[in-house]
Amino acid sequence: MTHKFDAVVIGAGAAGLFCAAQAGQRGLKVLLVDHSEKVAEKIRISGGGRCNFTNRDATPANFLSENPHFCRSALSRYTPQDFIELLQRHNIPFHEKHKGQLFCDHSAEDVINMLLAECDAGDVTRWQPCGIKSIKYSPNPDGTGASSYQIESDRGTVETPQVVIATGGLSIPKIGATDFGYRIARQFELRLVEPRPALVPLTFDGDAWAPYAGLAGLALPVLIDTSPADATPKQRKKAMVFSEDLLFTHRGLSGPAVLQISSFWREGQPVHINLAPGIDLPALLLRAKAHSKKLIANELGTLVPGRLADAWASTDPALQKPVSEATDKALLDLAGRLADWQLTPNGSEGYRKAEVTIGGVDTRDLSSQTLESKQPGLYFIGEVVDVTGWLGGYNFQWAWASAHACAEALSAAHQTAGEATH
Ligand code: FDA
């Protein structure tokens, strides 16, 4: 028996659940399929279990893509305020934590339950776990001129005129991430922007990192940017700079500062870290030289965390003396290096730890209004698309906004097809 639906959404994560609910509520008969037993595993683990579901201040400038303008249309038609109002209709309490980031007061489960209730309100049929074996396109199967897709699934054959791919990116494979979306894109000859892990901790060579490995667990506020080692001052000025917390780990650096910059970092490039932002290190070190009998490391320990000062001083014998005996040049060099600590990662912790995947389905082959691809009736939404948000609720906002734009388009195409057959 062949099951017939007006639209099939593959992937019951953030974007898929929201798109299916919206399309169902617009009157379409929708099937939502996921190969995992549980829906929305990433929502469940997001924001430390409290889901940073949007960012009040989200604008297109908070997203990376080969085409930075692509996200504008969808983001402007479904805003953070729209999602906030949806949460309020479901009486879900939330709070702002930091820089516009909104989190659930209780649990990420509140968002999942809300999305499932929205799917129920749209009479969405849900199949999970259910694997998809193949998707085939027939331009004119019954001679009426209407095209359709035949989907072979673990629960039988499904026929539909519209397919939405919402299978996300490659990060955290152990909770169900796959390259399904990229494979379907290739099958239909759509272009891909090479995917790579982003919002991910960076790692360093064991020997180079040895002096700092003991600092694991230390966190401090920094300014961080990335630009090539040979960048001109003008290029440096243009580089993206984040003011966030840095966290030392056994293998390298993490924390919001490094997760943010990891999306901009390219292999071979150094990261530049100001370990003492807002502190006039040259003036304070020179003043200490005039008045203090302390060792340089101890004096430094009054300006930056003591463990960091000790580790830093241990790398340079010239710093293992009283500050009063240091030359002005040595102190100014030290201040300069702390304000622009340059180090080149040897890689990242990869998809195992990455929060998102940068790259994906090339936006040149998608409509920014509808998320439909060049292949008629085939849509891509959420993280599978080459649109990646900064850390801070932006990626979910893209999931909601792209899902909403797609659901509007599914509904419009459904109506047009209905009118054509009458
Ligand atoms: P998502 O990954 O949510 O869903 C994809 C779905 O497709 C999954 O249910 C999967 O099982 C299914 N699927 C995959 N392959 C399939 C196949 N072959 N067949 C059928 N189904 C398949 N963002 C944010 O804004 N705020 C935050 O707080 C966080 N926190 C966070 C923490 C951690 C640890 C991670 C890993 C990620 C975040 N994110 C985040 C990022 C955010 O989770 C992510 O961008 C969105 O979930 C993307 O939504 P999608 O619906 O596109 O994919």
Side-chain angles (χ1 to χ4, degrees):
M1 173 195 160
T2 299
H3 307 269
K4 293 201 171 194
F5 288 90
D6 298 329
V8 174
V9 180
I10 303 175
L17 280 163
F18 195 52
C19 182
Q22 297 270 309
Q25 290 175 27
R26 285 173 161 80
L28 274 73
K29 188 178 171 214
V30 179
L31 172 66
L32 175 62
V33 186
D34 201 293
H35 69 157
S36 292
E37 198 156 339
K38 285 187 179 168
V39 296
E41 280 294 73
K42 281 197 188 154
I43 298 183
R44 193 168 281 110
I45 61 169
S46 67
R50 295 239 167 113
C51 185
N52 176 195
F53 54 82
T54 191
N55 192 299
R56 212 187 268 288
D57 307 322
T59 73
N62 304 114
F63 294 84
L64 290 88
S65 169
E66 292 286 301
N67 176 3
H69 299 296
F70 181 83
C71 59
R72 277 180 188 281
S73 170
L75 289 174
S76 68
R77 287 185 287 140
Y78 193 83
T79 65
Q81 189 56 33
D82 290 322
F83 198 74
I84 290 169
E85 284 165 17
L86 181 63
L87 255 82
Q88 286 167 336
R89 284 202 293 281
H90 285 259
N91 295 318
I92 297 175
F94 61 88
H95 59 279
E96 182 170 336
K97 211 168 169 182
H98 173 65
K99 298 187 176 176
Q101 300 168 8
L102 301 184
F103 288 76
C104 295
D105 284 358
H106 302 313
S107 159
E109 296 283 348
D110 285 351
V111 174
I112 300 174
N113 291 336
M114 177 189 82
L115 293 170
L116 290 174
E118 288 285 309
C119 282
D120 289 347
D123 269 336
V124 173
T125 303
R126 287 197 283 119
W127 289 358
Q128 90 254 348
C130 176
I132 303 292
K133 295 173 191 151
S134 66
I135 302 180
K136 291 205 178 84
Y137 176 67
S138 309
N140 188 13
D142 49 12
T144 62
S147 56
S148 88
Y149 289 88
Q150 286 78 46
I151 302 174
E152 292 303 328
S153 83
D154 292 347
R155 299 198 191 180
T157 306
V158 182
E159 197 176 297
T160 182
Q162 315 204 76
V163 180
V164 181
I165 307 296
T167 47
L170 296 171
S171 55
I172 326 274
K174 73 171 185 220
I175 58 166
T178 70
D179 66 350
F180 182 85
Y182 309 144
R183 277 189 274 128
I184 296 299
R186 272 191 220 104
Q187 178 190 332
F188 289 100
E189 296 179 358
L190 307 175
R191 287 169 284 188
L192 288 177
V193 174
E194 182 68 22
R196 59 189 167 91
L199 300 183
V200 63
L202 297 174
T203 57
F204 298 87
D205 279 336
D207 285 349
W209 195 246
Y212 309 106
L215 295 178
L218 175 71
L220 70 158
V222 300
L223 287 178
I224 190 163
D225 74 86
T226 182
S227 47
D230 56 359
T232 61
K234 207 170 161 195
Q235 285 168 324
R236 278 295 301 281
K237 245 186 173 170
K238 275 179 136 182
M240 186 57 75
V241 184
F242 289 97
S243 168
E244 293 279 7
D245 277 359
L246 176 77
L247 174 70
F248 283 81
T249 72
H250 290 288
R251 284 161 46 86
L253 293 171
S254 184
V258 165
L259 299 187
Q260 294 284 32
I261 214 67
S262 70
S263 300
F264 296 83
W265 176 74
R266 293 299 188 138
E267 227 158 278
Q269 273 185 358
V271 290
H272 302 260
I273 303 173
N274 181 345
L275 290 164
I279 298 177
D280 189 352
L281 278 177
L284 291 170
L285 286 172
L286 290 178
R287 192 179 308 157
K289 179 183 166 175
H291 300 293
S292 168
K293 294 193 170 59
K294 285 185 189 166
L295 290 174
I296 296 175
N298 293 347
E299 197 54 55
L300 198 55
T302 64
L303 304 172
V304 299
R307 284 168 69 198
L308 176 63
D310 288 343
W312 197 273
S314 74
T315 62
D316 186 351
L319 299 178
Q320 288 149 23
K321 56 165 97 161
V323 65
S324 54
E325 292 174 21
T327 62
D328 285 5
K329 183 177 177 308
L331 293 179
L332 292 176
D333 278 357
L334 172 62
R337 278 183 288 131
L338 282 161
D340 186 14
W341 188 25
Q342 287 189 37
L343 59 177
T344 304
N346 66 359
S348 79
E349 293 283 3
Y351 290 117
R352 203 172 50 87
K353 292 254 177 94
E355 286 202 7
V356 289
T357 304
I358 238 172
V361 179
D362 194 321
T363 59
R364 286 177 298 175
D365 291 342
L366 300 176
S367 154
S368 63
Q369 307 286 315
T370 64
L371 283 303
E372 188 175 18
S373 69
K374 285 200 314 207
Q375 164 67 32
L378 180 66
Y379 300 75
F380 291 82
I381 57 172
E383 199 181 312
V384 72
V385 177
D386 172 35
V387 172
T388 308
W390 293 4
L391 185 77
Y394 303 100
N395 284 296
F396 280 136
Q397 187 56 35
W398 170 246
W400 318 135
S402 58
H404 176 265
C406 177
E408 276 187 348
L410 294 173
S411 165
H414 178 63
Q415 272 178 21
T416 309
E419 282 157 16
T421 53
H422 282 113

